Amino acid sequence: MYMRGMQWSKGLIQDGVFVITDFKNIGTYQHTKVVFGYKIGNNVGDTHTVGGDGGDGGSYNIENNLAWTWDQDGLASNAAAWGTTYGIHTGVFGACFLESPGDPYDGIDNDNDGNPSSPNYGMNNKEVGPVTLQTANGPKTFYAGSGPTITTDMFKPKILGLNDIIVLIDYNDPHYRRVVTTLADTLAKLGKTASDTLVISFNGFPHNFFVGDTLKEIGDNLFDDNLNGIIDENRGVTTNGVINYLYVDHKYIDYTSTDVTTNGSLNPLIDERRDDGIDNNGNWDPSKDDVGADGLGVKDKGYPGPDKGEGDGRPSVGEPHFDKTDINESDMVGLTSFYLYAWGSAYNQWDDEVMWQIFTPGTFFAAPPGNVELGYGSGYFPLPPGATERFSIGLIAADCDLPNGSDTARLFRTQANFNKAYLMNYNFAKAPDIPILKAVVGDHKVTLFWDTTAEVSVDPTSTDPGGRDFEGYKIYRSTDPGWNDCMPITNGYGDVIFRKPIAQFDLNNGIKGFAKTATQGVHFYLGDDTGLKHMWVDTTAQNGQTYYYAIASYDHGSDSANIDPSECSKFVAVQASGEVMKGTNVVVVKPEAPSAGYVQPHLTDSRFTSGPNNTTTGMLDYKIINPQLIKGNHTYRVTFEDALSSNSLSMTKSFTLIDSTSNDTLLSKYSATATGEGFPFTDGFQLSFANNPAELKIDTSRSGWSRKVIRPYLFKNFSYSNLPVKLIPANFKIIFDTVGIDTSKLFLRGSTSLNAIPVNFKIINTLTNQKVSCALWDRDKTGGAGKFTYKSLALQDQIIFLTPYKSGSDSLIASWEVDFATTATAPDTVMPGPGDTLYLNLDRPFLSNDTFEFTILAPTVDAQLAKSDLDKIRVVPNPYIVTNAWEPVNTYSSGHGERRLHFTHLPANCVIKIFTVNGQLVKTLYHNNAIDNGTEIWNMLSKDNLEISYGIYIYHVKAEGIGEKTGKILVLK
């Protein structure tokens, strides 16, 4: 036997658990009469471990395959904690059969899904008539909806004649093979005469048939008594003397007919099995489901690669919507027994005979309310050797507005939702994957950060591309593990459907506001297009308070398909031992003040050290995210990689962060384009860039002529044909004088040779104070050769900056160029002359020549600062009055939990002694915490483990090498 439970946070089904049980006959015995039974030990509202106090009852509903229990007075065993004090009532607890074995051998459409006239008709697209269905061996033609229907006329007795057509079942065959024959032929084959008796053995008992015998079906004996090939077609439940037949108007197979188009033998939904190799309901889609035995396709998370059966055009075991993965490919028996019995020795679970009576199909009995237990069952069904049958049960909890179990509205609503989830093959709208949440606590601060797992989740029902309908995150904060601090959002029935988050972040995709499709009457809030974040800082946290934080991922559902949004669960539970069980998206933290003298982690000399060849105008900055992860005295090195922008200007492409101390590369060629949340956290800190321009270009606000009357200039990167260009990241000034102040270099501008000539200017790199080589395209010689002048568009000069092709090379290539603006209107605009200067200041991004180093010091304690911080030591709360908000709730009994006083801002290592005003020692506390936690909690018990009385107490704190502090504590009623 294999069993597992499944629960979803989906609002419609969050108040229950799906329990799946698989039974396999691993023996060799042919079990023909099996019943599945389940017991509920009522005790509704029991808050103790000794059992219920009586007054429990039970009810059932055959149509919905549902049984449930309730408490008679709605007050439970601890009345003070329920209705008499708070005006609330115990709820009901129910169980419904969602999936149960059918009988694939009885010739009957047990679940009525093969009848087109039934609302349960299960063919895909409601097809009727000839259909081509996929099988493990290829396509095959079936006749959907075919077969006659069962009527009460079939139950009438009839006399067996010698030559009447009969159907014999081989009960030893795994699939109950049928043979259509006559009594005469059968007796002849057995070497018997017409007056002899035909004996059919079943379950160790002989069944005799002879000419003139009266044939009448006996329900629930799992044997074909009237020899028509149909087993127990007259099965029914007798209520108040009236028989309610289960299978009237259900389709069956007429084995006596040879017309396969009408006899039901090729109706794929009669006697369907989840191991018959047929896509019985025609919903296997080769474009989506042909993913192989592992059930994973290319777009699925964890896809390991192609496997057996993948892409072969045929359904394979393990693929979606086929055999074992399609729960609709099974006839179902449903609820066939209900027995509410008084608890006691008369109904021992080890007594097989008693249990068999309780679960016998057709048994429906309810004892009066009392100390009772409930048994419910489903049967009969055969279990041949090697066969496996599955049960799926929904265990449902529902609130009540009235006592004594009379209010079942919520129970039936939830049961309907559970059944809907079952009919959707458990493939209802799926919430995004659960994120992984981490937290860093500080002084009055909690920093949360989480991963991006949820953002690539695939929802099998979503119509979004790739099934990815992730929308955002909600953050919840509570001092209570039940999230009761979060404002409840209820529906019209008063049920809590959602809770209000403390923060919410969603994709900036136009999907915002309230969802159109409601969840149990409440419209889910999708956000405000804020954009996603993966870090959030709570600066409103109180020191000493335990907080539960959760990050819940959610999707946007589908308006067109009327699917409401789904939010992942936020599971947390506190055990009686105090142990906290929680999901990966939940953290439990308690912010505290740091120790006395605490010094935050910081850079040595509070600076980044620039490399010798740095040219950038950008700056580095950092933020401490998690002080505990800071590696003290580690030196880090940042290097850059550059590229050309769309304007052919140098830009920062990526950067690399290396821990030089350990020689570890923390970020390798990471994109220099930061998201809204910045770069990744490494070693407890986060780098950031400031004033890093998008590309290397001139800053016109800081550039220009020394005299404004000179003709405007143009400064840009040199561009001509395919000549190589290497831009110099620097600031420049071009100083003008008489011709001969400098000499240009020979430069081949395409087919034009620019000769080396004396010129009236020189270029200085103001970062290095070095002269820059240049060439002059001297087209305007009216003022004399070698002068940078402008006469007309066709006769204008051009200065070309030159730079070595590579370091140490004598080969020069072009870099920048300076021209005169062609937009000037005055033809006689002033040209530069002696004493004039053109200043060219550039915005320079981080480039490959730039490097930075920095060293981070870990958090530490400064002894001198710790001495002055002794005056910050406090006892909180002071005075202490009865209790305080920090103290945990006692979940398992009445009264408050452990009492607590907090000593804050303590030195990292110290001794605290508490005295009465008479000097009697009450308690000694030894504080030895990490330096970021300067709090010691006292449970207000004396050294003899007794609760202290009300009054005034003296505390004394002593820290070796630092000092002492004394104060008073007031404890009031």
Side-chain angles (χ1 to χ4, degrees):
M1 183 175 75
Y2 164 84
M3 177 180 288
R4 72 183 181 119
M6 302 182 295
Q7 185 177 29
W8 283 268
S9 63
K10 184 70 176 171
L12 295 172
I13 55 170
Q14 64 183 358
D15 294 329
V17 177
F18 291 89
V19 178
I20 294 178
T21 306
D22 285 341
F23 293 95
K24 182 177 183 179
N25 183 358
I26 62 175
T28 58
Y29 184 76
Q30 176 97 5
H31 291 283
T32 57
K33 202 171 186 178
V34 180
V35 176
F36 173 85
Y38 209 99
K39 191 200 84 168
I40 298 176
N42 285 20
N43 298 352
V44 173
D46 176 25
T47 59
H48 302 292
T49 58
V50 295
D53 59 350
D56 291 332
S59 307
Y60 63 91
N61 182 286
I62 296 176
E63 182 180 352
N64 290 286
N65 295 311
L66 178 65
W68 67 94
T69 67
W70 37 269
D71 188 75
Q72 176 70 15
D73 58 14
L75 298 180
S77 58
N78 185 4
W82 294 81
T84 57
T85 300
Y86 301 111
I88 60 176
H89 304 286
T90 56
V92 296
F93 185 80
C96 60
F97 283 115
L98 302 169
E99 179 183 355
S100 58
D103 190 338
Y105 317 111
D106 62 2
I108 302 171
D109 179 19
N110 301 91
D111 56 5
N112 210 21
D113 64 350
N115 186 349
S117 300
S118 167
N120 295 336
Y121 189 54
M123 282 303 299
N124 191 39
N125 298 322
K126 304 299 180 182
E127 293 177 286
V128 177
V131 294
T132 299
L133 299 180
Q134 295 294 332
T135 76
N137 298 316
K140 181 179 178 181
T141 299
F142 292 85
Y143 295 89
S146 64
T149 56
I150 294 174
T151 66
T152 54
D153 289 341
M154 297 174 61
F155 309 156
K156 296 177 180 178
K158 65 178 182 178
I159 303 301
L160 178 61
L162 183 63
N163 294 310
D164 289 347
I165 294 177
I166 60 174
V167 182
L168 299 181
I169 301 176
D170 182 358
Y171 294 99
N172 293 316
D173 182 81
H175 301 301
Y176 281 29
R177 182 176 61 88
R178 268 82 168 173
V179 175
V180 181
T181 182
T182 64
L183 180 60
D185 287 345
T186 303
L187 291 173
K189 289 179 181 179
L190 294 174
K192 295 184 178 183
T193 66
S195 60
D196 285 335
T197 298
L198 172 65
V199 180
I200 300 176
S201 179
F202 174 72
N203 244 7
F205 297 96
H207 294 259
N208 300 321
F209 298 90
F210 50 86
V211 175
D213 189 13
T214 299
L215 301 182
K216 182 179 181 180
E217 192 72 9
I218 301 173
D220 287 332
N221 68 351
L222 303 184
F223 182 77
D224 180 18
D225 302 280
N226 57 5
L227 301 182
N228 64 355
I230 311 302
I231 300 174
D232 293 346
E233 62 266 32
N234 64 340
R235 178 177 292 172
V237 177
T238 301
T239 305
N240 297 324
V242 178
I243 301 177
N244 297 310
Y245 293 107
L246 298 181
Y247 301 132
V248 168
D249 294 329
H250 286 223
K251 293 284 185 177
Y252 72 97
I253 299 174
D254 183 359
Y255 294 98
T256 64
S257 170
T258 58
D259 186 354
V260 297
T261 66
T262 61
N263 66 9
S265 62
L266 288 181
N267 184 331
L269 292 175
I270 298 179
D271 279 357
E272 70 267 36
R273 306 193 318 272
R274 294 174 69 180
D275 62 353
D276 60 8
I278 302 170
D279 175 28
N280 301 87
N281 52 9
N283 65 345
W284 182 83
D285 185 346
S287 67
K288 298 178 181 178
D289 300 331
D290 195 8
V291 294
D294 61 5
L296 297 175
V298 175
K299 297 181 179 179
D300 292 322
K301 185 178 180 180
Y303 176 66
D307 66 325
K308 181 180 179 181
E310 185 167 349
D312 63 359
R314 298 180 180 180
S316 304
V317 174
E319 291 182 340
H321 302 117
F322 178 69
D323 274 2
K324 290 187 180 298
T325 61
D326 191 343
I327 55 182
N328 288 314
E329 295 187 21
S330 172
D331 276 343
M332 294 196 296
V333 176
L335 180 70
T336 60
S337 63
F338 172 94
Y339 206 100
L340 189 72
Y341 56 91
W343 179 82
S345 59
Y347 296 93
N348 291 308
Q349 290 179 219
W350 49 260
D351 192 330
D352 292 343
E353 288 297 326
V354 170
M355 290 296 107
W356 181 261
Q357 293 174 14
I358 289 174
F359 297 119
T360 297
T363 302
F364 289 86
F365 171 78
N371 193 2
V372 295
E373 295 189 337
L374 186 159
Y376 61 97
S378 180
Y380 301 109
F381 58 92
L383 196 65
T388 298
E389 291 292 356
R390 167 169 290 186
F391 281 89
S392 179
I393 298 174
L395 300 179
I396 302 168
D399 290 335
C400 292
D401 291 331
L402 300 172
N404 67 41
S406 60
D407 178 15
T408 57
R410 291 185 181 91
L411 173 68
F412 276 80
R413 283 201 303 271
T414 305
Q415 186 272 336
N417 293 330
F418 262 61
N419 194 59
K420 182 179 179 181
Y422 154 74
L423 291 175
M424 294 178 69
N425 207 18
Y426 304 114
N427 283 327
F428 45 84
K430 174 179 173 290
D433 292 341
I434 296 176
I436 297 176
L437 178 65
K438 296 183 179 180
V440 177
V441 295
D443 189 6
H444 291 286
K445 182 174 70 172
V446 177
T447 301
L448 304 177
F449 46 97
W450 54 94
D451 66 359
T452 60
T453 300
E455 295 163 33
V456 293
S457 303
V458 175
D459 186 337
T461 67
S462 174
T463 57
D464 286 43
R468 295 182 176 178
D469 58 357
F470 168 85
E471 181 60 28
Y473 298 104
K474 291 186 177 183
I475 298 176
Y476 297 89
R477 183 188 79 176
S478 179
T479 60
D480 164 69
W483 308 104
N484 293 315
D485 286 359
C486 305
M487 180 184 295
I489 302 173
T490 64
N491 63 9
Y493 298 105
D495 303 327
V496 176
I497 306 302
F498 304 122
R499 291 192 180 272
K500 186 176 181 180
I502 192 173
Q504 183 171 357
F505 307 105
D506 65 313
L507 290 169
N508 186 7
N509 58 358
I511 300 176
K512 58 183 179 178
F514 290 100
K516 291 184 180 179
T517 303
T519 302
Q520 299 188 66
V522 179
H523 293 267
F524 188 97
Y525 195 70
L526 294 166
D528 300 302
D529 274 358
T530 60
L532 294 182
K533 289 188 177 182
H534 301 88
M535 184 179 75
W536 180 73
V537 182
D538 183 4
T539 57
T540 65
Q542 296 183 20
N543 285 350
Q545 176 68 63
T546 297
Y547 290 101
Y548 300 87
Y549 288 92
I551 180 76
S553 55
Y554 63 91
D555 61 37
H556 52 245
S558 172
D559 292 337
S560 60
N562 291 322
I563 297 176
D564 57 317
S566 299
E567 181 177 306
C568 78
S569 63
K570 47 183 186 294
F571 167 72
V572 60
V574 181
Q575 304 298 300
S577 63
E579 178 187 1
V580 177
M581 301 177 65
K582 60 184 182 64
T584 59
N585 62 330
V586 175
V587 293
V588 185
V589 296
K590 183 171 62 177
E592 299 285 7
S595 299
Y598 179 81
V599 178
Q600 291 274 6
H602 58 281
L603 300 186
T604 56
D605 300 325
S606 300
R607 67 187 183 93
F608 293 89
T609 302
S610 299
N613 299 315
N614 280 23
T615 58
T616 182
T617 55
M619 295 182 291
L620 264 60
D621 201 356
Y622 76 106
K623 180 191 296 182
I624 300 298
I625 302 297
N626 189 349
Q628 299 174 3
L629 297 180
I630 295 297
K631 297 177 179 179
N633 292 314
H634 273 230
T635 297
Y636 298 87
R637 179 178 176 84
V638 183
T639 60
F640 301 90
E641 183 182 22
D642 56 52
L644 291 180
S645 70
S646 59
N647 297 319
S648 298
L649 297 171
S650 301
M651 58 175 284
T652 311
K653 179 181 180 182
S654 64
F655 73 98
T656 297
L657 174 63
I658 299 172
D659 182 343
S660 301
T661 303
S662 62
N663 200 30
D664 292 328
T665 300
L666 306 181
L667 295 173
S668 178
K669 296 184 177 180
Y670 193 87
S671 172
T673 304
T675 65
E677 299 176 283
F679 300 123
F681 314 143
T682 53
D683 285 1
F685 66 91
Q686 180 187 38
L687 272 184
S688 62
F689 299 156
N691 300 325
N692 184 36
E695 55 189 6
L696 178 63
K697 62 181 181 180
I698 191 168
D699 181 355
T700 56
S701 67
R702 298 186 296 120
S703 303
W705 290 106
S706 56
R707 289 191 301 143
K708 294 185 181 298
V709 295
I710 299 176
R711 185 181 184 89
Y713 69 95
L714 288 177
F715 178 83
K716 59 182 181 179
N717 49 314
F718 177 81
S719 177
Y720 182 78
S721 187
N722 292 319
L723 292 179
V725 174
K726 181 180 179 183
L727 300 180
I728 306 171
N731 292 334
F732 309 97
K733 62 181 180 181
I734 304 179
I735 303 172
F736 288 84
D737 206 329
T738 59
V739 173
I741 188 176
D742 197 8
T743 301
S744 67
K745 301 290 186 180
L746 174 67
F747 180 70
L748 188 63
R749 189 182 186 277
S751 59
T752 303
S753 178
L754 306 182
N755 297 321
I757 60 174
V759 294
N760 71 334
F761 60 87
K762 65 177 178 180
I763 306 172
I764 302 297
N765 179 336
T766 59
L767 296 185
T768 62
N769 205 29
Q770 299 291 317
K771 188 174 71 170
V772 178
S773 299
C774 66
L776 177 64
W777 189 15
D778 191 6
R779 296 194 291 175
D780 175 26
K781 298 183 173 60
T782 56
K787 291 184 177 182
F788 179 56
T789 57
Y790 175 92
K791 184 175 183 180
S792 66
L793 184 61
L795 296 174
Q796 62 169 323
D797 294 344
Q798 182 182 78
I799 298 175
I800 303 172
F801 291 42
L802 301 178
T803 188
Y805 176 71
K806 59 181 179 179
S807 180
S809 172
D810 293 330
S811 177
L812 299 176
I813 60 174
S815 180
W816 302 101
E817 68 175 73
V818 175
D819 305 280
F820 283 108
T822 59
T823 57
T825 57
D828 56 347
T829 302
V830 177
M831 296 292 109
D836 293 326
T837 302
L838 176 60
Y839 295 96
L840 303 169
N841 293 307
L842 276 61
D843 289 330
R844 303 180 298 277
F846 299 112
L847 302 175
S848 56
N849 53 280
D850 295 311
T851 61
F852 290 91
E853 287 191 346
F854 59 97
T855 301
I856 299 184
L857 298 180
T860 186
V861 169
D862 183 291
Q864 288 301 117
L865 181 59
K867 291 179 181 179
S868 62
D869 281 351
L870 288 178
D871 289 335
K872 295 181 180 180
I873 294 176
R874 295 289 184 272
V875 176
V876 185
N878 193 8
Y880 178 95
I881 306 175
V882 182
T883 184
N884 76 74
W886 292 340
E887 295 171 347
V889 175
N890 191 335
T891 312
Y892 296 91
S893 64
S894 60
H896 60 69
E898 179 185 71
R899 297 200 294 174
R900 292 180 175 179
L901 269 179
H902 290 210
F903 292 85
T904 66
H905 297 91
L906 295 169
N909 296 284
C910 62
V911 177
I912 309 164
K913 292 187 177 182
I914 300 107
F915 301 89
T916 66
V917 291
N918 296 325
Q920 182 179 2
L921 179 63
V922 176
K923 184 74 172 183
T924 301
L925 303 173
Y926 297 93
H927 177 75
N928 185 16
N929 273 359
I931 62 175
D932 59 354
N933 182 2
T935 299
E936 185 68 30
I937 299 175
W938 179 32
N939 61 8
M940 302 183 72
L941 297 179
S942 70
K943 57 185 174 62
D944 298 318
N945 212 32
L946 300 175
E947 287 196 8
I948 64 170
S949 61
Y950 304 107
I952 299 175
Y953 295 85
I954 308 297
Y955 69 87
H956 176 261
V957 178
K958 182 177 181 180
E960 292 295 335
I962 294 177
E964 303 179 25
K965 171 68 184 292
T966 303
K968 296 179 180 179
I969 306 171
L970 178 59
V971 180
L972 300 176
K973 285 189 178 181

